[in-house]
Amino acid sequence: MKKLILGCTLILSGIIGGTGWLIAHACMQPNSYPSLIDSLTGSDGSVIVLFYAAALIGIILCIADVIDGKKK
């Protein structure tokens, strides 16, 4: 149960953080409409990837906890 709560927290924080960073990056470009590929280059891209990686780790933890719970 603790892994499930941790996994859900990681999913929420990863998705909210990554999406917020993408929105902030898009708003900082004054006269252009950046594409998603432009956002993933440089240091901003590494931070965005880290946020979404945390969300993927959360998904894996949740699935592992549900599978372990069904075996018992």
Side-chain angles (χ1 to χ4, degrees), residues 10 13-19 21 46-56:
L10 280 172
S13 62
I15 291 175
I16 290 172
T19 305
W21 202 284
S46 60
V47 174
I48 292 168
V49 168
L50 285 175
F51 275 121
Y52 286 121
L56 287 175

Side-chain angles (χ1 to χ4, degrees), residues 4-48:
L4 185 68
I5 294 172
L6 174 66
C8 290
T9 304
L10 280 172
I11 293 169
L12 271 173
S13 62
I15 291 175
I16 290 172
T19 305
W21 202 284
L22 278 171
I23 291 171
H25 180 75
C27 289
M28 294 300 291
Q29 307 296 329
N31 292 326
S32 65
Y33 296 101
S35 68
L36 182 62
I37 302 299
D38 294 337
S39 300
L40 295 177
T41 59
S43 62
D44 285 337
S46 60
V47 174
I48 292 168

